[in-house]
């Protein structure tokens, strides 16, 4: 790519490139969630106990968090396109291993590496923010994050439908093929970006603790989203178990249709980006946190196996996904305004912290549902965003 073409892209990102990056993020991050509605099927197939089902999702999220801490920061010193392609090839290998797994250790090990490689999405997001201008950064990040969030939300119904027709192994095989194709496409069309810094990798990692300690915006935004993402992971790990239980008797196909309801929440991402560009981040954060709290309280107050109970769960799913989507974009917009030379490290820290929250939520969710049922899981899920709201209330205007 010539210097003049690069400058043209940096001045105004073409629509096709925004769509490509949004689609790529969606395809990549979906790999973290294909197993979520299939935990019951996978557990019985590979020999995991009911109380351990949450670890199927938890290990993927832990792998993702490790990648965010040790791979994503490389975006500040390594040529970004090469980093993205190598990460995608690692993901494809891990997906292929999961597709062939018939033993719990092999599947859980593959899950860890699926998460590790999928951090390519979080190299792409700051990559896009470098190309955007200050006045459009929130909109660009919001649009790309809407693609990422659609990938998260569509992963659940897609994997349920594929499992219903072809078995649960098939979704991992199909995704491995899609990721290989994506790696080839991105290697051909993405502009090269070689960071100017000469910082060594060890010094880069060492600087992350300093960034976390000296950047209050990062600490706060990561804490807020860790709490709401814990609730998100808890809900979507346990609700398939509820829907397939004798209360509702949902098939995998019916669970897939239910999961589609959450897709509507993705519209909150670009809206939140525009609010942030207008300086309304605080107001938007209150709305996002309130939506998450209400989404968990509703099914606590109204529990029934009738169509009313299903309607309540659908409304809750939409509110939850909308609140989480909006809060994520508001957080990223805030930290991406701090400094371009440290953006990959900031994004890695932000995402790693809140994905640890998600890992905790999914692990606790599986345990809580097995130990105390749906209500116990919901009460724990309510506590997380309430803590976030109380902490947010202490933030200076």
């Amino acid at each position: 790519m010539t210097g003049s073409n690069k400058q043209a892209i940096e001045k105004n990102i073409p629509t096709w490139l925004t769509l490509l990056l949004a689609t790529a993020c969606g395809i990549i991050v979906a790999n973290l969630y294909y197993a979520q509605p299939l935990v019951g099927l996978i557990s019985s197939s590979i020999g995991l106990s009911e109380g351990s089902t949450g670890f199927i999702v938890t290990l993927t999220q832990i792998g993702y968090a490790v990648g965010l801490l040790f791979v994503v920061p490389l975006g500040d010193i390594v040529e970004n396109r090469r980093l993205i392609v190598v990460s995608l090839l690692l993901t494809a290998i891990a997906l292929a291993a999961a597709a062939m797994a018939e033993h719990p250790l092999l599947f859980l090990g593959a899950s860890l590496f699926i998460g590790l490689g999928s951090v390519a999405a979080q190299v792409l997001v700051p990559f896009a923010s470098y190309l955007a201008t200050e006045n459009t950064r929130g909109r660009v990040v919001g649009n790309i994050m809407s693609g990422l969030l659609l990938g998260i939300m569509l992963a659940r119904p897609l994997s349920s439908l594929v499992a219903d027709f072809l078995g649960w192994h098939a979704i991992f095989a199909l995704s491995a093929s899609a990721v290989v194709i994506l790696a080839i496409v991105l290697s051909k069309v993405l502009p090269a970006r070689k960071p100017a810094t000469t910082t060594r990798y060890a010094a880069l990692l060492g600087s992350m603790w300093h960034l976390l300690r000296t950047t209050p915006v990062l600490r706060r935004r990561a804490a807020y989203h860790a709490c709401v993402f814990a609730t998100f992971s808890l809900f979507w790990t346990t609700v398939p178990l509820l829907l397939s239980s004798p209360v509702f008797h949902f098939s995998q196909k019916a669970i897939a249709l239910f999961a589609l309801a959450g897709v509507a929440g993705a519209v909150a991402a670009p809206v939140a980006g525009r609010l942030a560009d207008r300086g309304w981040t605080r107001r938007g954060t209150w709305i996002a946190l309130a939506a998450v709290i209400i989404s968990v309280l509703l099914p606590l107050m109204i529990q029934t196996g009738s169509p009313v109970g299903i309607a309540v769960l659908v409304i809750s799913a939409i509110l939850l996904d909308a609140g989480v989507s909006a809060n994520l974009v508001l957080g990223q917009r805030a930290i991406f305004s701090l400094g371009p030379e440290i953006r990959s490290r900031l994004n890695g820290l932000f995402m790693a912290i809140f994905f640890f929250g998600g890992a905790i939520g999914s692990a606790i969710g599986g345990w809580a549902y097995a130990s105390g049922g749906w209500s116990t899981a919901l009460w724990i899920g309510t506590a997380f965003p309430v803590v976030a709201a109380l902490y947010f209330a202490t933030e200076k205007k």
Side-chain angles (χ1 to χ4, degrees):
M1 173 167 287
T2 66
S4 59
N5 286 339
K6 184 178 179 182
Q7 289 176 359
I9 286 181
E10 288 176 344
K11 184 177 180 181
N12 184 24
I13 297 181
T15 302
W16 68 265
L17 184 56
T18 301
L19 289 173
L20 174 63
L21 294 176
T23 302
C25 285
I27 291 172
I28 296 166
V29 82
N31 292 310
L32 304 175
Y33 298 94
Y34 285 137
Q36 205 164 53
L38 307 178
V39 290
L41 284 176
I42 296 173
S43 295
S44 61
S45 176
I46 64 177
L48 275 178
S49 66
E50 185 182 51
S52 301
T53 56
F55 288 106
I56 292 175
V57 178
T58 298
L59 277 173
T60 306
Q61 291 176 333
I62 288 175
Y64 196 66
V66 170
L68 289 166
L69 288 174
F70 294 99
V71 178
V72 171
L74 285 169
D76 284 338
I77 59 173
V78 173
E79 199 280 303
N80 286 188
R81 181 175 58 192
R82 185 182 302 120
L83 180 60
I84 291 164
V85 172
V86 171
S87 297
L88 289 178
L89 293 178
L90 171 64
T91 306
I93 293 170
L95 286 165
M100 297 183 289
E102 295 182 357
H103 189 276
L105 287 180
L106 176 58
F107 184 85
L108 293 175
S111 297
L112 186 71
F113 281 96
I114 288 170
L116 185 66
S118 294
V119 295
Q122 296 310 323
V123 181
L124 281 170
V125 175
F127 181 93
S129 75
Y130 284 112
L131 301 178
T133 63
E134 178 64 28
N135 292 335
T136 63
R137 187 167 293 131
R139 176 177 58 81
V140 170
V141 171
N143 288 338
I144 292 172
M145 290 305 295
S146 66
L148 184 147
L149 292 163
L150 278 172
I152 293 175
M153 296 168 191
L154 288 173
R156 297 186 295 260
L158 179 61
S159 63
S160 292
L161 289 173
V162 171
D164 195 51
F165 288 105
L166 302 173
W168 68 264
H169 295 84
I171 187 63
F172 296 100
L174 291 171
S175 184
S177 302
V179 169
V180 169
I181 294 171
L182 180 62
I184 294 171
V185 171
L186 293 179
S187 70
K188 300 295 183 184
V189 304
L190 280 183
R193 178 186 174 268
K194 173 63 174 153
T197 182
T198 57
T199 305
R200 293 179 180 271
Y201 182 59
L204 187 81
L205 293 180
S207 70
M208 293 177 72
W209 170 247
H210 174 74
L211 287 174
L212 182 63
R213 188 168 51 85
T214 59
T215 314
V217 172
L218 170 64
R219 291 198 305 272
R220 282 185 168 272
R221 283 288 153 185
Y224 305 153
H225 206 67
C227 288
V228 299
F229 201 64
T231 298
F232 176 90
S233 294
L234 181 147
F235 180 91
W236 285 109
T237 297
T238 55
V239 78
L241 300 175
L242 173 71
L243 293 174
S244 61
S245 73
V247 178
F248 292 103
H249 295 286
F250 272 33
S251 65
Q252 284 299 129
K253 191 180 298 182
I255 292 173
L257 293 174
F258 171 83
L260 279 172
V263 173
V267 301
V271 173
R274 285 165 172 77
L275 288 175
D277 283 341
R278 296 177 182 178
W280 295 348
T281 297
R282 186 172 182 83
R283 188 180 307 175
T285 302
W286 276 122
I287 295 171
L289 293 176
V292 174
I293 293 170
I294 293 169
S295 74
V296 194
L297 287 176
L298 274 177
L300 259 177
M301 294 186 293
I302 305 174
Q303 295 192 40
T304 171
S306 68
V308 173
I310 297 172
V312 168
L313 287 174
V314 169
I315 293 170
S316 295
I318 294 172
L319 278 175
L320 175 62
D321 287 8
V324 172
S325 300
N327 195 64
L328 175 57
V329 172
L330 291 167
Q332 285 190 302
R333 177 63 173 83
I335 65 171
F336 285 167
S337 299
L338 296 178
E341 71 283 356
I342 57 173
R343 198 165 289 160
S344 290
R345 278 168 283 174
L346 291 174
N347 190 52
L349 285 165
F350 173 70
M351 300 292 290
I353 291 169
F354 88 67
F355 261 91
F356 271 123
I360 290 169
S362 57
I364 290 178
W367 168 81
Y369 187 88
S371 302
W374 177 239
S375 293
T376 300
L378 287 177
W379 277 117
I380 295 173
T382 304
F384 291 122
V386 168
V387 169
L390 292 173
Y391 185 34
F392 182 56
T394 68
E395 184 177 304
K396 295 179 180 180
K397 297 182 180 180

